[in-house]
Amino acid sequence: MTRKYELLFVLKPTLVDEELQAKINYLKEILEKNGAVIAALRDMGTRRLAYKVEKFERGHYGVFYFEAPTDAILEVERNLRISEDFIKFMTVKYEKQKEIKHWNKQVEKFAPKIETKEEVVVTEEVVVTEEIVVAEEAVIAVETVAVKQETTEA
């Protein structure tokens, strides 16, 4: 049975951007390998910790929102404990209706926005339609001028 989860993690602040991305991708791969479907990722950046953890006063925060089978959580947490770059983590399970509603709001807020192909096609059709209308008006204007000239000559 799959459930909705939130995984908050804190990485060492000494990691450079490439290493941070590599660790986030590593965590994403672990989740997906264990059957999780990732709904959203919230990268909160480097922040001050409430207290020193492993001699660090700051840490790089991130949150994964995902759905996974209950067995997967143990394996994911085991891998996080092994890695030295993750200094803290916390997994939250959403069960009640009110909690699931909150989870859905967070996913909506932080999921990547993707522009669909249909929207692009509609925009292109509107532009083409306006060009055709402008072209038809020009043809009508030319025909009107031609009719007036014939009348004047006769």
Side-chain angles (χ1 to χ4, degrees):
M1 178 179 185
T2 61
R3 296 189 185 268
K4 297 179 187 301
Y5 293 95
E6 171 184 311
L7 175 63
L8 172 82
F9 59 91
V10 182
L11 287 161
K12 289 182 177 179
T14 56
L15 301 174
V16 294
D17 289 339
E18 293 84 24
E19 292 173 323
L20 284 172
Q21 273 312 91
K23 288 299 172 184
I24 291 171
N25 289 336
Y26 167 75
L27 180 55
K28 184 177 179 180
E29 287 174 16
I30 291 172
L31 287 166
E32 289 174 344
K33 211 183 291 184
N34 287 294
V37 178
I38 298 172
L41 166 65
R42 178 180 181 191
D43 189 2
M44 299 189 318
T46 304
R47 295 176 175 214
R48 185 180 170 97
L49 298 169
Y51 53 89
K52 282 188 180 182
V53 178
E54 297 180 21
K55 298 183 182 179
F56 294 111
E57 291 183 4
R58 301 184 76 71
H60 187 89
Y61 283 74
V63 181
F64 272 107
Y65 296 95
F66 61 97
E67 294 182 52
T70 53
D71 307 347
I73 301 304
L74 291 174
E75 182 63 22
V76 171
E77 288 183 352
R78 185 186 72 79
N79 280 302
L80 288 173
R81 282 188 190 93
I82 292 171
S83 177
E84 294 178 2
D85 293 325
F86 291 92
I87 56 176
K88 281 284 185 185
F89 65 90
M90 179 177 69
T91 308
V92 179
K93 178 172 60 173
Y94 290 87
E95 289 183 300
K96 299 177 182 171
Q97 286 298 102
K98 190 174 182 181
E99 294 171 343
I100 291 173
K101 205 182 238 185
H102 174 72
W103 187 88
N104 289 331
K105 277 186 183 178
Q106 295 299 325
V107 167
E108 244 179 67
K109 191 174 182 181
F110 298 111
K113 306 291 185 233
I114 300 171
E115 186 176 317
T116 61
K117 291 181 181 178
E118 293 175 21
E119 293 177 49
V120 174
V121 172
V122 170
T123 307
E124 290 174 1
E125 287 176 5
V126 170
V127 172
V128 171
T129 307
E130 290 174 348
E131 290 174 5
I132 292 171
V133 171
V134 172
E136 288 175 350
E137 288 175 0
V139 171
I140 292 171
V142 170
E143 288 175 8
T144 308
V145 171
V147 171
K148 286 183 181 177
Q149 287 177 351
E150 288 176 13
T151 313
T152 334
E153 290 178 7

